[in-house]
Amino acid sequence: MEGEAALMMYGKPSPRKSDFGKILGFFILVLVISTTVFLKIYFYNASNSLNKPNKPLSSANAALNNNRSESLDQLNPTKTSAGPIKVVYELPEKQPVVYITIDDGWYPNEEVIKLMQQYHLPITTFLIEQAAQKHPDFWNEFLKSGGHIEDHTFSHPYLTHLSVTDQKNQISQPIDYLRQIGSPPDELRPPYGDFNSEVGQEAHDSGIKYIVMWDAEMENSKFTTRNALGLKAGDIILLHWVPGLDKELIELLNIIQNQNLGIADLTQALNGEPLTICWLKKPIPVPKPKATTSTGTSKIKTTKTSNTQETSTTTTGAFTIP
């Protein structure tokens, strides 16, 4: 009787309230599990970043898509602080020479190797490790032809956007890789010309001595200088490993020859060593494209002439970067 009276007084428990409690408990359980999984993944990736460089930011994919990644527009000549490392945009005009540098490495070009061998051209390339890994035989040939390979990071990110750890990995990992095929790099060209004192410190700790920028460029067969006053002694000239680089390089060499300037070895200059200089006595014929084929493509033919002369000399008038 008492139980029946209680039921009559309070009624039966509401099934809706009971179901709501079960649903709430289920969602809380899912939330706890999801949070736990997220935290595990987050800390796992964070710990892995100690050993593996981050992928480039989405805004830094230009080089990975085989486009030109550096330009004069990115330069800020007043930005010279990089911690303990010297930043170089150009070199003192102690001799009538300029310096040729080529960035990235996605499109190796055998014609460039032939030009280096024929004219004893001293060229420095700032190489992305990811690009280097795709064509190791070519880069061995490049070194044997008198070229220098220096550091352009592992995967070409904006270095100042990374953590200190990832900055260090991006800079130091290529050094470990490139020492297997030649001398370990001690020059760094930061992707997009992006650096600060923090980047300089990490580069210094990795064995880098210089951050090498540029003050002139050859792009799409157009030569431009930072000051718009034309080519001058001491200029560091920027090109990229892109299709048609051999034609651009020849056009640049003819501009240098027309100004009665030589091409010197950048690494020798930075280290205060006697300079090996290439002097071009006459213009080099620019290759012309063949007639369009049935497939709509054109090929480049390199023309050699017997009256093209060059000399390569070693001088003792080297200079030291202060």
Side-chain angles (χ1 to χ4, degrees), residues 282-303:
K282 292 185 178 181
I284 303 173
V286 179
K288 297 179 179 180
K290 286 184 178 181
T292 303
T293 64
S294 59
T295 58
T297 60
S298 62
K299 297 181 179 179
I300 302 297
K301 180 177 73 174
T302 301
T303 304

Side-chain angles (χ1 to χ4, degrees), residues 153-211:
T153 73
F154 173 77
S155 59
H156 208 278
Y158 285 95
L159 287 173
T160 63
H161 294 191
L162 302 180
S163 68
V164 171
T165 298
D166 283 335
Q167 287 176 6
K168 180 70 173 293
N169 287 333
Q170 283 284 345
I171 296 167
S172 63
Q173 184 165 322
I175 295 175
D176 294 336
Y177 175 78
L178 293 173
R179 73 169 71 245
Q180 300 174 31
I181 60 174
S183 301
D186 60 6
E187 302 162 31
L188 170 68
R189 175 161 286 166
Y192 314 103
D194 176 48
F195 70 90
N196 56 20
S197 296
E198 191 176 71
V199 170
Q201 184 64 58
E202 296 308 316
H204 176 268
D205 293 345
S206 299
I208 297 295
K209 296 179 181 178
Y210 298 97
I211 286 181

